[in-house]
Amino acid sequence: MNYLEENGIIDVSYIQEVVEMEKRKTILANHPYKIWEGKDSYWHTYLVKDDGTLQHKKRKHKDDIEKDVVQYYIDKEERPKFREVYQKWIAEKEECGELEANSITRYDNAFERYFPPNEPFCDIRLCNMTDGKLEKFIKLTIKKFNMTKKTYSMFTLILRGVFKFAKREKYTTFDITSFFNNLVLKKNIFEKKHVNPKSQVFTRKEARQLINYFQNNPTVIHLGLILAFYTGVRIGELCTLKRSDNIEKYFLTIQRTEVTYKDKALNKYVTTIKESTKGDD
């Protein structure tokens, strides 16, 4: 291409102009809303906002409204915002089988909590991200949600994943790894939950009282709780036990668990059985 351009055989700028014109035509042809001239002599159309609602746009000249439409789609494709990139990132995780359905639900719930549509941070295009903007957002979010180190871990897991994906896709040059390597947070910034250890476990006496009660009132649930007391089996694993798991006397195989996730197609939570346990992940 350089040889052809240098020798006057091909005009690269002209080709680029033609490509951009064709792209403009394609964008306008695929725009789902009508562009019309109103009685007020202005040109009108609609664009979809980040929260899914429609935004009415109007300009004095048709060329100006068409420019707005084209720029809107170019920005969405080449200069996306944080929420837009998250959807691409999590969709790839799901498509490639990197995350189980219940894990995706956990990510989505955390995302909607910390990055809602009305959060100003979500309006920043990733190509315009700076250390200062991100650091301020992180500190304000920690304060707003009284984050513990555990909840902060999930929050930063999303940030790291989205920015690494964005850099790979060339939406930004922002280096999230370098940012976190240089980020300094005071130790007292995180919420500390003081829990009485005695309230977290049963004493031997309490356990014996419960087991005696369960034995004297033998329902399916009570028998299951006795098994949980003696073996430490998780509730999700307990719910999926089969007779065939009792392969010999005093010996059970724990090989499946119950999981709950949000089915996006049905838009509701679904409970199903996973043919492996948490420890097998």
Side-chain angles (χ1 to χ4, degrees):
M1 289 294 291
N2 289 337
Y3 173 81
L4 294 175
E5 182 181 12
E6 290 171 0
N7 289 275
I9 299 174
I10 188 170
D11 187 340
V12 175
S13 61
Y14 172 72
I15 292 177
Q16 185 175 356
E17 184 179 340
V18 171
V19 170
E20 289 177 354
M21 288 176 61
E22 288 301 314
K23 185 173 183 178
R24 173 189 169 92
K25 288 180 182 178
T26 301
I27 289 174
L28 292 173
N30 292 326
H31 180 53
Y33 301 101
K34 181 181 177 182
I35 297 176
W36 78 96
E37 185 177 17
K39 294 180 180 180
D40 57 359
S41 297
Y42 278 80
W43 287 85
H44 304 254
T45 192
Y46 289 100
L47 298 174
V48 181
K49 294 166 61 176
D50 291 338
D51 61 4
T53 60
L54 291 180
Q55 178 185 21
H56 176 231
K57 298 280 291 186
K58 72 174 185 177
R59 298 295 294 269
K60 186 66 177 176
H61 303 290
K62 183 179 181 181
D63 187 56
D64 290 334
I65 197 75
E66 288 182 343
K67 285 180 181 178
D68 285 349
V69 171
V70 171
Q71 191 60 48
Y72 167 80
Y73 288 104
I74 288 176
D75 285 344
K76 284 184 71 68
E77 179 183 351
E78 300 177 0
R79 303 174 61 244
K81 300 177 182 179
F82 190 86
R83 287 183 64 87
E84 295 163 352
V85 180
Y86 171 81
Q87 298 300 335
K88 294 175 182 289
W89 172 66
I90 204 70
E92 181 180 280
K93 292 283 186 187
E94 186 173 10
E95 181 183 1
C96 296
E98 295 181 67
L99 291 174
E100 298 284 350
N102 57 320
S103 295
I104 290 174
T105 297
R106 186 161 55 90
Y107 274 71
D108 284 345
N109 289 341
F111 177 75
E112 291 303 328
R113 177 174 172 79
Y114 302 128
F115 306 94
N118 61 352
E119 167 55 55
F121 175 84
C122 294
D123 287 329
I124 302 173
R125 299 196 180 278
L126 296 197
C127 60
N128 296 329
M129 188 56 60
T130 65
D131 286 10
K133 290 176 183 177
L134 184 54
E135 181 175 337
K136 182 178 181 180
F137 169 68
I138 288 174
K139 290 178 177 178
L140 288 175
T141 305
I142 292 172
K143 179 181 179 181
K144 179 180 178 181
F145 292 97
N146 296 317
M147 283 187 174
T148 63
K149 287 186 177 181
K150 184 176 181 180
T151 52
Y152 174 73
S153 176
M154 182 62 182
F155 169 63
T156 57
L157 194 63
I158 292 174
L159 281 172
R160 290 176 186 271
V162 171
F163 274 101
K164 285 182 179 180
F165 177 86
K167 189 175 182 182
R168 189 195 78 186
E169 296 298 308
K170 297 184 174 14
Y171 298 141
T172 185
T173 58
F174 189 83
D175 190 337
I176 193 68
T177 301
S178 175
F179 169 81
F180 274 112
N181 285 341
N182 294 310
L183 179 64
V184 178
L185 298 174
K186 292 184 177 180
K187 292 182 180 180
N188 63 358
I189 196 171
F190 296 108
E191 181 79 6
K192 291 183 179 179
K193 293 185 177 181
H194 300 284
V195 180
N196 184 354
K198 292 182 179 180
S199 68
Q200 301 301 298
V201 296
F202 293 110
T203 64
R204 290 181 182 274
K205 181 179 179 181
E206 291 170 337
R208 174 47 57 190
Q209 288 175 333
L210 283 169
I211 291 173
N212 286 340
Y213 174 80
F214 295 151
Q215 289 174 335
N216 293 327
N217 299 272
T219 64
V220 172
I221 293 176
H222 288 170
L223 292 175
L225 290 172
I226 291 173
L227 181 63
F229 263 103
Y230 280 116
T231 65
V233 64
R234 298 183 180 94
I235 296 299
E237 297 164 346
L238 179 64
C239 294
T240 58
L241 284 175
K242 297 180 180 180
R243 288 183 180 273
S244 57
D245 294 333
N246 187 193
I247 60 176
E248 61 180 83
K249 191 175 182 181
Y250 306 129
F251 196 92
L252 276 173
T253 56
I254 308 299
Q255 53 190 330
R256 67 190 72 81
T257 190
E258 187 179 79
V259 294
T260 300
Y261 65 94
K262 188 171 185 180
D263 188 309
K264 295 180 181 179
L266 300 175
N267 194 31
K268 68 178 184 179
Y269 283 89
V270 175
T271 298
T272 186
I273 295 175
K274 177 184 173 186
E275 295 296 328
S276 63
T277 62
K278 187 175 181 180
D280 292 333
D281 293 344

